[in-house]
Amino acid sequence: MPNSRPDPVANDSVRVSVFGKTDLGRTRDHNEDTFLVADLSTGNASLHPQVQEHGIGPRGSLFMVADGMGGAAAGELASAMAAELIYSHLRATWSTDPNPTAEQFAFRMRESVEVANSRIHDYAREHPDVRGMGTTVTVAGVFGNELYLAQIGDSRAYLVRRGVATQLTKDQSLMQRLVDAGELTEEEAERSERRNIILQALGPDPRVKVDLTWQEIRRGDLLILCSDGLSGSVKREELAELAARFPDLEALCTELVNLANQRGGPDNITAVAARFDGPGLPPPEQTEQPVYQVFTLPGQEEDEDDLMDTNGIVTTEIPAHRPIQAPRHESKVRPGFMFLALLIGTILLYLVLAS
């Protein structure tokens, strides 16, 4: 875990180039994905030139992908609300926070996701026409030369370093749980008909457990955030190959979306690509590759311990314990299938934990 430090890297020492693209795909009639790019130091949230190329200022930068679910306009609303609520909360709290340390930045990121969940949940409860709506979210925050990730659901973050792509986030899904427990291989999970059952989303439950992780950034690192419309069609290894072939980020995002569409485009497709450079970043060492690293905030250790069984497996989500079915060709939450998803998830989790 990185040390708290009140002095972030100077504005022009670390620079980022970023582009994002979202697409309907080939089978959906509306786009439930949302992405957001923001310079938290200036308050610019857009893909205007001053944001596409900017120095990491004293309050950092923000990148986000959200994938809504719920049918009709509910999923589109949920993902848009998540992006706006997370960004606005960070602007309201972090931009004037008197304690601008890396630890406080991570805390504000987690807090913003929790606040967004509560607001989306309350909105759905007060509006029966969108009840049950929800969204995944992958939030990436850069502070100085460090990257922090707040994860809910199965959108993903990858880091391409020295020609190798590494998945930085873990899907909060039934299949990932079975892979972690040694019951399935990653290849078997990718082929499973139940690969779209997720265990958490923003909105369906009043509280969520945010998966908070971090990485040190190296010169030339490329961050890719995406919805499962991309990760379900384009393999991790292909991300690195395409990144090498298309150094221009707009061309890279376009090629990623095009490839997913060529393979059927079964879902909405979103990609955000951000490349980091500048003298404030050390070059990567010859064999250095990123790994999944949990960032533990003070006071969080006991909460995590309460979730572990004797095998060290997290057995309870807080409190999003209802598996959420996400079929490829329909809206991600279908009320008629919720009981079936719950039953399947409960049986499989019982078999894993009882084995």
Side-chain angles (χ1 to χ4, degrees), residues 95-136:
S95 63
T96 58
D97 198 305
N99 182 31
T101 63
E103 189 174 85
Q104 188 70 358
F105 181 63
F107 169 78
R108 290 299 187 191
M109 281 185 56
R110 186 185 72 173
E111 179 184 63
S112 69
V113 175
E114 292 170 340
V115 167
N117 177 75
S118 179
R119 294 281 298 277
I120 295 170
H121 178 77
D122 290 346
Y123 184 91
R125 186 177 57 188
E126 295 163 2
H127 296 80
D129 54 321
V130 294
R131 186 162 295 169
M133 75 175 184
T135 182
T136 72

Side-chain angles (χ1 to χ4, degrees), residues 5-204:
R5 47 179 175 74
D7 299 319
V9 177
N11 186 50
D12 287 331
S13 300
V14 179
R15 297 196 60 81
V16 60
S17 305
V18 61
F19 196 82
K21 187 178 181 66
T22 187
D23 188 83
L24 187 65
R26 295 290 178 84
T27 63
R28 298 297 179 91
D29 57 9
H30 61 288
N31 194 342
E32 296 181 321
D33 285 3
T34 297
F35 74 88
L36 182 143
V37 174
D39 181 345
L40 294 175
S41 299
T42 64
N44 289 325
S46 68
L47 278 179
H48 292 161
Q50 65 267 33
V51 178
Q52 285 189 39
E53 302 270 353
H54 68 271
I56 303 297
R59 297 290 168 164
S61 295
L62 184 71
F63 315 96
M64 190 184 332
V65 166
D67 180 0
M69 58 193 75
E76 185 176 352
L77 176 62
S79 63
M81 285 182 66
E84 174 59 29
L85 288 166
I86 290 169
Y87 172 65
S88 61
H89 184 79
L90 282 170
R91 285 289 296 160
T93 58
W94 170 245
S95 63
T96 58
D97 198 305
N99 182 31
T101 63
E103 189 174 85
Q104 188 70 358
F105 181 63
F107 169 78
R108 290 299 187 191
M109 281 185 56
R110 186 185 72 173
E111 179 184 63
S112 69
V113 175
E114 292 170 340
V115 167
N117 177 75
S118 179
R119 294 281 298 277
I120 295 170
H121 178 77
D122 290 346
Y123 184 91
R125 186 177 57 188
E126 295 163 2
H127 296 80
D129 54 321
V130 294
R131 186 162 295 169
M133 75 175 184
T135 182
T136 72
V137 70
T138 299
V139 186
V142 176
F143 183 72
N145 58 357
E146 294 166 355
L147 168 67
Y148 297 87
L149 294 154
Q151 174 78 2
I152 296 289
D154 64 351
S155 296
R156 291 182 179 179
Y158 295 90
L159 193 72
V160 181
R161 177 180 295 170
R162 297 182 65 89
V164 177
T166 302
Q167 184 177 333
L168 299 182
T169 54
K170 278 194 176 184
D171 296 350
Q172 295 176 344
S173 66
L174 179 60
M175 291 300 100
Q176 183 65 54
R177 180 69 61 83
L178 295 176
V179 169
D180 290 344
E183 297 295 316
L184 290 178
T185 66
E186 291 186 1
E187 292 74 18
E188 290 170 333
E190 290 176 358
R191 296 193 300 268
S192 173
E193 295 180 355
R194 293 184 289 271
R195 63 186 178 275
N196 299 316
I197 298 177
I198 61 175
L199 302 181
Q200 276 204 126
L202 293 183

Side-chain angles (χ1 to χ4, degrees), residues 270-315:
T270 299
V272 173
R275 180 179 290 111
F276 303 98
D277 213 333
L281 296 175
E285 297 180 5
Q286 188 68 28
T287 59
E288 181 184 32
Q289 288 298 332
V291 294
Y292 175 84
Q293 298 183 100
V294 173
F295 186 92
T296 304
L297 291 166
Q300 189 179 354
E301 293 87 348
E302 291 184 4
D303 293 339
E304 295 292 338
D305 290 343
D306 290 343
L307 298 177
M308 298 290 180
D309 68 7
T310 56
N311 295 315
I313 298 174
V314 179
T315 59

